Amino acid sequence: MSVWLWIVLAFVGMGALAWAGRWAGQVATSNAPRFRDMPFGVAFGYVFAAACIIGGIWLWFLPGAVFFRWAVQGFVLFAIAAFIFRLVFRHVGTAATKRLFRAMPLTAAFGILVIIIYAILAIFAGAIAPYGQSEILGAANVVPGGDPAMGGNPLYPLGTDQIGRDILSRLIYGAQNTVGIAFVTTLIAFFLGGSLGFLAATVGGWLDQLLSRAVDVLMAIPGLIFSLLLMTIASVWADGEKALLTVYMILIIAVIDSTRVFRLARAVGTGIVVMDYIEAARLRGEGMGWIVFREILPNAMAPLLAEFGLRFCFVFLTIASLSFLGVGIQPPLADWGTMVRDLGPFINFAAFAPLVATAPLMAAGAIALLTVAVNFVVDWMLQKSSGLKE
Amino acid sequence: MSRLLTISDIYLEGRSEEVWQPIINGVSLTLDKGEVLGLIGESGAGKSTLGLAAMGFVRDGVRIKSGTVNFDGTELTTASADTKRALLGKRIAYVAQSAAASFNPAHRLIDQHIEAPVQHRVRSRSESIRDGMDLYARLRLPDPDHIGFRYPHQVSGGQLQRAMTAMAMACRPDLIIFDEPTTALDVTTQIEVLAAIREIVEQFGTAAIYITHDLAVVAQMADRIKVLLTGDEVEEADTRTMLSTPKEDYTKSLWAVRGFTRPVKPPVPAGQIPLVSIKGVTAAYGKVKVLEDVSFDIPPGRTVAVVGESGSGKSTAARCITGLLPPVEGQILFDGAPLPPNYKKRSKDQLRQVQMIYQMADTALNPRMSIGQIIARPVQFYMGLRGSALQNRVNDLLNQIELPPEQYAHRLPSELSGGQKQRVGIARALAAEPRMIICDEVTSALDQLVAEGILRLLAKLQDELGLAYMFITHDLATVRAIADSVVVMKDGRVVEQGTKEEVFNPPHHPYTDLLLSSVPEMDPDWLDNLLSSRGVDNIGDAAADKISVES
């Protein structure tokens, strides 16, 4: 029987179960509103969630599902860590931070914890990392885990790469390079796009037309291909100077990404500019600086912050992609994108040697974790700032 | 008469700041078939929440704590979703305050009209369309056979409100809940809608709950009136008794609001230079002329009320004075000297002399600045005060608008009530120490008691500081209370101007006469008398359109 038929059958079965369950609930509670007014979709959702949990438990005990077990263990571990982190800061610190942590959802605590850990790793990379990022040690391709019986080495807990560099050290230095550069790039993109966008919204007329059309032109070219093109030109200008090339990369990605920020800032700005308090400020004779930074910016903070979280992740992924394609952060500097590219082929071992296959996943996981963490924090900030309005 | 709706001892609660706060505390009401009950109270009295609860419905974040709602034998508080679905739209209908916001702009009126009868299988599709046209005709909508095929933005606000009433009538419900259906409309439009609603409710013998804050309106519409104050019932009586002999102090105070008037000031001495003089101003948005040859003067220390319906150009006149819209022709003189037409060309001192207070205090105050910061900015900007001198001046201003500084200076605008926000708007204007303030519909978004407080404050400030006001409003009761002279505008032209006595006493210009006669009065027979004296086709916008203002 084909897979599709099984899927259809499973859904029909769950539907029947949902209907029966709702009916049973109605009979058992003698038509309590909870069951009486329950739409079928909700009943189905309960059954589906139950099925997912059962499936998860079944998967846990399957011998081959190593990665799933790791993922669940990691998830539970981080949740516990975030919970303890929040608990500690509810009782330590100033009255304001205590209040902040008391109203904080667990997801936000998780996000903040991860960002703090990344920040510490990035700032103190030199002190924390056991080896240098480009230091070539003895053995190549040592398996992670540090268990000699499995082909690991306790000196290199996360193993070594294909030319014998310690992966743990490179991951830590990667935080410094990738995250630091992404952060600076996003900041520049926001300053550029945000101020120009608000300016276009406030002044309007020909300036708005000029800026908007220029941005349209830039946006018309696919981002990654455009940055690849510019990076190729920049690498000629940089003439082998690696630090200079990195600066060029930051500027190129910042300018390309600032077009998205410009669009958002302009759209939000035009909504705010028509407000009476902006008119009052204009009639008072205020200058452009006051109107943009004191009247418009505070009111546009919520959507801009949300965009900052997203944009940061995208910039980060763009840098990783550029490095993956060979024009981003230059070797031997450690960078997560490059690490994924270099170790990528090992993923083919996943079926029979899961430990070997984890080599590229660690850098990929680092990217994923930071992306999720940043978005959790941004979501929470958004919720807080929109709650203030009401 | 048989009983249709019984709400007994209902308690409603709303969730705010993580706790359940009471909204309605044990109110009971009964409604017979074909009877109209008026619910009045200020905003925040819980009248809309109570109106919705009469349908067995609560908004998100609101719950029924206890009490019962019995509609014709069905208990709505515990009814199943299916039971309610069968009643709502078919036997109970709802007409919302803003028809423009309640109609789906992507569908034609008739398509939205027939949705309920077709869904509830009351009528077939084609019958519903025919019935819709019939209802449009009964509600005196122009061109009833075709108006339904327009989209909501293609008809006027008053017509939309009548189309919504027609929609509520589509299934011939037993009960309609009208939630402030005329509050957002001009007086001449309001009167048309009121006449139409009353006629159709009487024709079909529909019971109605009519929610409003306007006493004069409810006097025309309701058989009985119930007064609410912050979730408690104040009193209930039939309309005539309530109007003639209100029992409670709160009700009496509501009745007394319209009594505020100011003493007549001595006439402006001849030859005195007006503070602001508008001379032959013509203004246009693109090619559309919105002001044509408008001239009037604002003497120092006086209040000039500019009256007219929406679209009459009264706010545009203010924009010309402030320099936001440079006039095509004509001049604005300040103290005898011409002002540059564009505000960007005016000096800081010229800008300081004319300040503005806005209609919507919500959008006029930056929501991210504290009250103290909002008021401090003009002081700092124009007077250059800093540190404790600035602080003292802000405190003085807050005291002047009767908001204690220690309590309010640190709050954000969202933590203030509507009236308090409007006071902050006044303080911001005062902070510039101007000689004239333009008040653009400053009281029309406020409850009557609160509005009266604002008017009294403005009057007090005028006496103390010798300010001149240009008072833009469509509410003639406000004009009677505060104005020294009146300018009546229609279609971008000045129709009539003079002192308050001249304008309010006959002989009137026909348009002024229409405006004056369209303001609802507290007399329950007022609408009947007006209809019988003028005829149904000679009231409201229809009559206004007949008056030509070509000079």
Side-chain angles (χ1 to χ4, degrees):
Chain A
M1 228 188 308
S2 81
V3 182
W4 291 110
L5 199 61
W6 275 112
I7 292 175
V8 170
L9 268 182
F11 270 87
V12 170
M14 281 192 285
L17 211 60
W19 194 85
R22 185 176 60 165
W23 178 79
Q26 283 169 355
V27 172
T29 59
S30 62
N31 245 2
R34 184 177 170 71
F35 283 103
R36 187 192 61 193
D37 291 337
M38 183 187 281
F40 181 72
V42 173
F44 185 81
Y46 281 121
V47 174
F48 190 75
C52 286
I53 290 170
I54 293 169
I57 292 168
W58 174 73
L59 205 59
W60 174 273
F61 289 108
L62 217 63
V66 188
F67 294 119
F68 178 75
R69 275 200 290 277
W70 284 346
V72 173
Q73 280 161 0
F75 180 78
V76 172
L77 212 69
F78 264 109
I80 294 170
F83 185 79
I84 294 170
F85 172 71
R86 188 175 66 170
L87 202 67
V88 167
F89 276 92
R90 277 180 181 177
H91 297 284
V92 184
T94 63
T97 60
K98 276 183 195 169
R99 200 172 335 115
L100 196 68
F101 276 91
R102 206 154 293 148
M104 188 185 286
L106 198 59
T107 50
F110 169 83
I112 291 175
L113 180 65
V114 170
I115 290 171
I116 289 177
I117 291 174
Y118 273 58
I120 291 172
L121 287 180
I123 294 166
F124 301 106
I128 296 170
Y131 306 99
Q133 54 180 324
S134 52
E135 200 177 333
I136 296 170
L137 306 154
N141 291 333
V142 172
V143 169
D147 182 0
M150 303 283 285
N153 185 336
L155 286 176
Y156 319 120
L158 292 184
T160 58
D161 66 4
Q162 72 280 30
I163 56 168
R165 291 175 296 193
D166 181 40
I167 292 183
L168 176 65
S169 306
R170 284 181 67 75
L171 272 181
I172 294 170
Y173 275 105
Q176 195 174 42
N177 298 330
T178 322
V179 181
I181 290 174
F183 189 68
V184 171
T185 310
T186 320
L187 276 186
I188 297 175
F190 264 76
F191 181 74
L192 209 65
S195 42
L196 287 182
F198 289 143
L199 201 66
T202 319
V203 177
W206 62 269
L207 183 75
D208 182 22
Q209 286 295 329
L210 193 77
L211 287 171
S212 297
R213 295 299 81 77
V215 162
D216 284 351
V217 169
L218 287 183
M219 283 179 94
I221 309 165
L224 192 61
I225 293 175
F226 195 30
S227 40
L228 261 178
L229 179 76
L230 293 179
M231 282 305 291
T232 319
I233 299 169
S235 59
V236 176
W237 287 349
D239 199 21
E241 193 90 33
K242 280 176 181 165
L244 198 59
L245 187 63
T246 310
V247 173
Y248 281 143
M249 183 184 71
I250 290 176
L251 291 181
I252 289 170
I253 300 178
V255 168
I256 292 176
D257 265 62
S258 70
T259 56
R260 275 78 176 169
V261 183
F262 172 88
R263 278 266 159 243
L264 178 78
R266 186 183 166 277
V268 175
T270 43
I272 297 171
V273 160
V274 296
M275 290 292 185
D276 289 338
Y277 55 86
I278 304 291
E279 192 183 299
R282 282 185 207 255
L283 286 180
R284 205 185 301 141
E286 298 280 8
M288 200 49 71
W290 175 277
I291 291 181
V292 167
F293 291 107
R294 302 302 294 273
E295 304 275 354
I296 299 180
L297 185 63
N299 290 291
M301 222 48 201
L304 280 186
L305 265 181
E307 180 69 9
F308 188 89
L310 272 181
R311 216 22 67 201
F312 176 70
C313 299
F314 277 120
V315 166
F316 191 79
L317 295 175
T318 310
I319 293 175
S321 325
L322 286 179
S323 306
F324 182 85
L325 294 167
V327 292
I329 297 169
Q330 297 299 307
L333 287 183
D335 159 69
W336 293 340
T338 325
M339 289 172 74
V340 175
R341 176 190 56 178
D342 289 349
L343 300 169
F346 288 106
I347 201 84
N348 296 322
F349 293 92
F352 42 92
L355 272 182
V356 178
T358 48
L361 291 182
M362 284 181 295
I367 298 174
L369 194 62
L370 183 61
T371 312
V372 170
V374 168
N375 276 298
F376 274 162
V377 175
V378 167
D379 279 352
W380 169 63
M381 283 177 165
L382 266 187
Q383 204 184 0
K384 260 176 57 113
S385 63
S386 64
L388 261 179
K389 267 183 208 157
E390 271 135 31
Chain B
M1 289 252 248
S2 58
R3 187 54 45 89
L4 184 67
L5 178 77
T6 314
I7 296 180
S8 49
D9 204 26
I10 195 158
Y11 283 81
L12 294 165
E13 292 181 322
R15 195 164 177 78
S16 72
E17 288 164 17
E18 311 289 304
V19 286
W20 290 97
Q21 310 268 8
I23 298 178
I24 294 283
N25 308 313
V27 172
S28 303
L29 67 82
T30 58
L31 194 65
D32 290 333
K33 285 207 168 101
E35 189 187 25
V36 179
L37 173 75
L39 271 185
I40 48 175
E42 296 171 40
S43 50
K47 49 195 196 303
S48 288
T49 314
L50 184 61
L52 288 172
M55 309 168 70
F57 177 82
V58 287
R59 290 205 179 99
D60 280 345
V62 178
R63 68 173 182 191
I64 298 173
K65 189 181 160 210
S66 66
T68 58
V69 179
N70 190 306
F71 176 77
D72 208 12
T74 313
E75 179 52 46
L76 290 179
T77 50
T78 56
S80 75
D82 286 339
T83 317
K84 277 196 255 185
R85 202 172 296 132
L87 283 176
L88 297 183
K90 188 179 179 188
R91 298 193 60 200
I92 310 177
Y94 180 74
V95 176
Q97 172 170 6
S98 170
S102 304
F103 269 108
N104 185 336
H107 295 285
R108 293 179 305 182
L109 295 178
I110 196 81
D111 294 333
Q112 303 185 50
H113 180 98
I114 62 172
E115 212 179 316
V118 171
Q119 275 285 318
H120 287 291
R121 299 174 196 283
V122 177
R123 270 181 215 95
S124 75
R125 210 187 140 74
S126 54
E127 278 174 54
S128 304
I129 292 178
R130 263 201 307 281
D131 182 63
M133 290 169 179
D134 176 48
L135 283 172
Y136 291 152
R138 283 168 190 264
L139 284 161
R140 293 183 200 293
L141 281 163
D143 196 9
D145 289 349
H146 300 104
I147 195 168
F149 295 93
R150 297 197 203 162
Y151 287 90
H153 70 271
Q154 293 171 313
V155 303
S156 73
Q159 289 168 358
L160 215 50
Q161 199 69 53
R162 277 181 280 169
M164 191 149 177
T165 310
M167 190 159 87
M169 277 290 173
C171 293
R172 303 292 184 275
D174 299 313
L175 170 65
I176 300 187
I177 290 147
F178 291 99
D179 193 352
E180 309 244 15
T182 61
T183 304
L185 304 175
D186 281 328
V187 275
T188 52
T189 315
Q190 163 170 293
I191 192 170
E192 281 185 338
V193 175
L194 289 182
I197 288 179
R198 207 175 62 163
E199 196 181 334
I200 202 157
V201 167
E202 270 168 20
Q203 270 179 12
F204 293 118
T206 315
I209 294 179
Y210 197 97
I211 299 166
T212 181
H213 67 268
D214 191 334
L215 292 160
V217 166
V218 88
Q220 312 308 318
M221 307 301 287
D223 303 318
R224 263 187 308 141
I225 296 178
K226 186 190 268 300
V227 184
L228 292 180
L229 173 64
T230 59
D232 294 301
E233 178 179 335
V234 177
E235 64 176 310
E236 184 188 325
D238 64 79
T239 303
R240 280 170 203 280
T241 323
M242 184 71 108
L243 288 172
S244 53
T245 49
K247 286 192 204 72
E248 301 292 326
D249 289 343
Y250 175 72
T251 321
K252 284 179 195 155
S253 74
L254 279 179
W255 268 229
V257 166
R258 294 182 172 235
F260 173 58
T261 46
R262 305 187 63 194
V264 178
K265 294 199 184 87
V268 180
Q272 188 194 27
I273 301 170
L275 184 68
V276 171
S277 174
I278 293 129
K279 290 219 182 295
V281 164
T282 299
Y285 290 112
K287 284 190 175 148
V288 186
K289 273 193 184 173
V290 280
L291 284 186
E292 273 211 77
D293 196 22
V294 169
S295 306
F296 57 89
D297 293 339
I298 301 165
R302 300 301 165 104
T303 305
V304 175
V306 181
V307 191
E309 312 248 87
S310 38
S312 63
K314 53 195 195 305
S315 289
T316 311
R319 288 176 70 86
C320 287
I321 297 173
T322 55
L324 282 167
L325 182 73
V328 183
E329 275 171 49
Q331 260 190 331
I332 314 284
L333 303 179
F334 187 87
D335 240 354
L339 276 178
N342 191 326
Y343 76 95
K344 287 177 187 153
K345 301 265 161 36
R346 292 185 188 173
S347 70
K348 213 167 162 179
D349 198 53
Q350 283 172 327
L351 288 170
R352 183 179 68 81
Q353 301 288 3
V354 179
Q355 290 292 314
M356 193 148 175
I357 309 171
Y358 295 86
Q359 173 176 11
M360 305 301 292
D362 289 314
T363 62
L365 305 178
N366 188 335
R368 299 284 160 165
M369 286 192 188
S370 73
I371 302 310
Q373 285 172 313
I374 290 172
I375 299 174
R377 180 59 190 171
V379 179
Q380 195 190 353
F381 186 76
Y382 290 124
M383 319 299 160
L385 296 186
R386 317 211 159 269
S388 61
L390 177 64
Q391 198 54 50
N392 290 339
R393 176 73 183 130
V394 171
N395 289 351
D396 286 348
L397 285 163
L398 279 168
N399 283 326
Q400 241 169 353
I401 55 164
E402 295 151 19
L403 296 179
E406 58 278 5
Q407 218 176 323
Y408 287 96
H410 300 289
R411 293 203 192 174
L412 290 174
S414 54
E415 294 165 304
L416 264 56
S417 71
Q420 288 171 335
K421 277 185 226 173
Q422 200 54 281
R423 280 167 192 261
V424 175
I426 295 172
R428 180 176 62 185
L430 286 181
E433 297 176 18
R435 292 181 63 194
M436 180 175 99
I437 297 181
I438 298 174
C439 306
D440 190 354
E441 302 268 10
V442 288
T443 56
S444 57
L446 302 173
D447 289 322
Q448 288 178 16
L449 274 177
V450 181
E452 194 212 356
I454 296 285
L455 292 183
R456 282 185 197 277
L457 175 66
L458 285 172
K460 186 191 90 177
L461 292 170
Q462 184 168 49
D463 294 341
E464 285 172 11
L465 306 169
L467 295 165
Y469 293 136
M470 173 177 166
F471 208 93
I472 298 168
T473 183
H474 68 268
D475 182 11
L476 290 158
T478 313
V479 176
R480 272 207 181 92
I482 197 164
D484 298 314
S485 58
V486 182
V487 176
V488 183
M489 289 186 71
K490 183 178 191 303
D491 299 337
R493 288 165 186 278
V494 175
V495 174
E496 191 178 5
Q497 61 176 311
T499 63
K500 183 164 66 173
E501 287 67 39
E502 285 164 8
V503 173
F504 277 101
N505 294 323
H508 298 300
H509 182 277
Y511 182 67
T512 316
D513 182 51
L514 180 73
L515 274 187
L516 288 172
S517 68
S518 299
V519 179
E521 285 166 23
M522 293 292 234
D523 172 13
D525 298 322
W526 168 79
L527 189 57
D528 294 317
N529 294 340
L530 187 79
L531 287 174
S532 60
S533 70
R534 287 198 167 226
V536 119
D537 295 319
N538 276 320
I539 55 164
D541 287 343
D545 290 341
K546 290 179 193 162
I547 300 167
S548 151
V549 289
E550 294 303 319
S551 46

